[in-house]
Amino acid sequence: LRPDQRFADLYRSEQPLSLGRAIRALVIGDWRGAEAEQRALSTTANPTAGILVPNPLAANVIDLARARSVLARAGARTVDMTASTLTIARVSTDPTVEVHTENVAFTGSDVNFDAVELTAYTLGVLVKMSRELAADAPNAVQVIEDTISRKLAERIDYFGLRGSGSAQPLGLLNFSGLNDEAVSGALSWDNVLDAISLCEVDNQVPNALIISPLRVNNLRQLKVNSETNHYATAPPAAAVLSTLVTSNMPDTTAVLGDFSQFLIGLRQNPTIEVSTEAGTAFEAHQVFIKISWRGCFNTEHRDAFALLSAIS
């Protein structure tokens, strides 16, 4: 999926479905106003006496999570993995274009290939809420969907950016071969321009900058000649970047690049399970909502990205 495509469009339903409405109806045992959700639900019981939410019902929440994810908003693309490991071929060295001279043969050139490896990991998040809240709060439906989508987006961004690669996916900040603009001090617009230049030297065109809340505020507070209230505006080359802010980015680092070349491998569609009996949910009178998916992250070309490192 491209960022402008939606999971919900892959499934047809008679009317827009709401996971929040379904969960609230499950908790209070009243399906009035949620008849479409009731028809969409699977009747197959989980071992924990919960239910497995089918894709048409989960799709809207997944789209909400993608809309919140800075990686997806930056342009990351989803790749369908047909097995737990997927190898994608790519050109590492382009052929040489020659000017032909009459009666002189082309010399030819080699095209070198290498591979992008995608290896799936299982990622998940568990959300707990009281059954009283689900039943009584007038905004319970919105709260449920917002909470689930926000938590899912946070995990995608955390592992996609900061994953260590040890028993978890490897995140972008830990990829080898990225361009690196060592700031070694306070971040300035000059550093951003230098990082853009590193990508351009490799014939790449960055489209987005992902940065922490503290560091984007440092850029916002830059002054012209240190004059009061004379704030420096972003240079044109930096101003065209989509600046995306997330607390999942450490204050010591920022990253920019062409995020259409960032890949989110998807081995299994995100699944959502709901139970009022799993674990301590029954005793505590709660509802447990578990979201899990199998996937990983990689890039088509590492030189399409540049780190701004050692920021202080």
Side-chain angles (χ1 to χ4, degrees):
L1 295 176
R2 298 187 309 270
D4 61 328
Q5 295 177 308
R6 302 171 65 247
F7 270 98
D9 293 337
L10 302 178
Y11 308 102
R12 301 298 180 192
S13 60
E14 58 192 60
Q15 66 182 69
L17 299 175
S18 165
L19 180 64
R21 278 200 302 266
I23 292 174
R24 184 177 185 277
L26 280 167
V27 169
I28 66 177
D30 184 352
W31 290 92
R32 286 176 296 179
E35 292 83 0
E37 284 77 11
Q38 186 178 31
R39 287 190 291 272
L41 281 172
S42 169
T43 58
T44 303
N46 290 331
T48 56
I51 61 164
L52 178 65
V53 177
N55 284 334
L57 192 52
N60 285 334
V61 171
I62 296 167
D63 285 330
L64 287 173
R66 293 174 68 234
R68 291 176 180 268
S69 163
V70 296
L71 287 170
R73 288 161 54 204
R77 292 179 293 127
T78 301
V79 177
D80 182 26
M81 298 177 63
T82 55
S84 60
T85 301
L86 177 66
T87 300
I88 301 175
R90 67 179 173 189
V91 176
S92 60
T93 304
D94 291 327
T96 301
V97 177
E98 304 173 53
V99 177
H100 179 256
T101 304
E102 187 175 359
N103 297 323
V104 177
F106 286 108
T107 60
S109 61
D110 293 332
V111 180
N112 295 323
F113 295 88
D114 61 7
V116 175
E117 298 286 347
L118 296 170
T119 302
Y121 290 82
T122 299
L123 307 177
V125 61
L126 182 66
V127 177
K128 304 177 183 181
M129 67 184 303
S130 73
R131 295 171 70 176
E132 289 87 353
L133 176 64
D136 299 339
N139 62 336
V141 170
Q142 190 66 43
V143 168
I144 291 169
E145 294 187 348
D146 284 351
T147 300
I148 295 172
S149 62
R150 176 168 48 83
K151 289 297 183 183
L152 181 57
E154 286 176 359
R155 292 296 85 190
I156 291 173
D157 287 340
Y158 178 85
F159 289 111
L161 289 169
R162 302 179 65 168
S164 67
S166 177
Q168 61 183 246
L170 187 66
L172 178 61
L173 301 187
N174 295 314
F175 288 171
S176 61
L178 301 184
N179 293 304
D180 188 6
E181 164 67 12
V183 176
S184 301
L187 184 63
S188 71
W189 286 119
D190 284 345
N191 299 130
V192 176
L193 295 178
D194 287 342
I196 293 172
S197 180
L198 290 175
C199 296
E200 291 175 337
V201 166
D202 293 319
N203 297 314
Q204 304 291 344
V205 181
N207 73 309
L209 167 69
I210 298 181
I211 191 169
S212 75
L214 175 62
R215 296 311 175 201
V216 76
N217 196 45
N218 292 157
L219 288 176
R220 291 168 181 159
Q221 293 179 343
L222 291 177
K223 305 279 199 313
V224 177
N225 297 325
S226 299
E227 296 180 32
T228 303
N229 296 327
H230 285 215
Y231 291 98
T233 58
V240 298
L241 299 176
S242 295
T243 300
L244 301 166
V245 182
T246 174
S247 57
N248 284 311
M249 179 64 68
D251 292 332
T252 56
T253 312
V255 63
L256 59 79
D258 176 6
F259 282 86
S260 69
Q261 300 194 50
F262 187 86
L263 307 177
I264 301 176
L266 190 64
R267 175 67 182 105
Q268 173 186 312
N269 284 347
T271 58
I272 300 177
E273 297 168 90
V274 181
S275 178
T276 56
E277 299 183 28
T280 60
F282 182 78
E283 293 90 338
H285 205 60
Q286 293 177 312
V287 56
F288 286 9
I289 307 162
K290 184 179 73 175
I291 312 101
S292 61
W293 66 287
R294 294 185 66 205
C296 62
F297 312 93
N298 213 324
T299 64
E300 286 186 308
H301 292 282
R302 300 289 171 90
D303 54 15
F305 299 87
L307 296 178
L308 293 128
S309 61
I311 304 171
S312 62

